[in-house]
Amino acid sequence: MLEITKDQFKPEVLDSAVPVLVDFFATWCGPCRMLAPTVEDIAADYEGKIKAVKADVDLMPETAMEYGIMSIPTLVLFKNGQPAGKMVGVSEYDEIADMIDNALK
């Protein structure tokens, strides 16, 4: 899964032709590490339908603030350059899949 920088956010997320699941995380965050395998499973299972990327809030504080990331991990699903879903905390696979499925309708 691609870890993006602030310079890659616009082309990789906002300008993407497919919905993008952004995992806002930090390397020191235990719950973020717990969520990572679930996000990787989602990325594999939805390959071709969505793109999944990781965004380190410590390296991208302005972007995190712009999208209201108050705690991590936070998953934000972007569709057509706009947030289409958001989940805060460690989420179950089925909850994330439901958010994606609703956005793909």
Side-chain angles (χ1 to χ4, degrees):
M1 204 162 73
L2 177 66
E3 185 173 325
I4 60 171
T5 64
K6 66 179 181 177
D7 294 335
Q8 294 171 303
F9 193 83
K10 185 178 184 321
E12 290 290 338
V13 177
L14 302 180
D15 296 340
S16 177
V18 297
V20 182
L21 182 66
V22 180
D23 178 6
F24 287 94
F25 80 106
T27 55
W28 49 263
C29 168
C32 298
R33 288 194 297 274
M34 288 174 51
L35 181 62
T38 304
V39 174
E40 289 171 10
D41 289 346
I42 287 279
D45 292 347
Y46 281 85
E47 189 173 351
K49 296 179 185 171
I50 69 160
K51 180 169 36 172
V53 299
K54 296 175 77 64
D56 188 330
V57 296
D58 289 336
L59 302 177
M60 303 172 59
E62 304 87 6
T63 305
M65 226 176 354
E66 182 177 346
Y67 291 100
I69 309 305
M70 304 299 273
S71 61
I72 51 175
T74 294
L75 300 175
V76 180
L77 183 67
F78 286 83
K79 184 177 181 183
N80 300 320
Q82 298 296 317
K86 183 176 187 177
M87 303 186 95
V88 179
V90 177
S91 304
E92 297 294 323
Y93 180 99
D94 292 342
E95 296 171 311
I96 302 167
D98 286 347
M99 178 177 70
I100 294 168
D101 291 340
N102 287 332
L104 291 176
K105 289 180 183 173

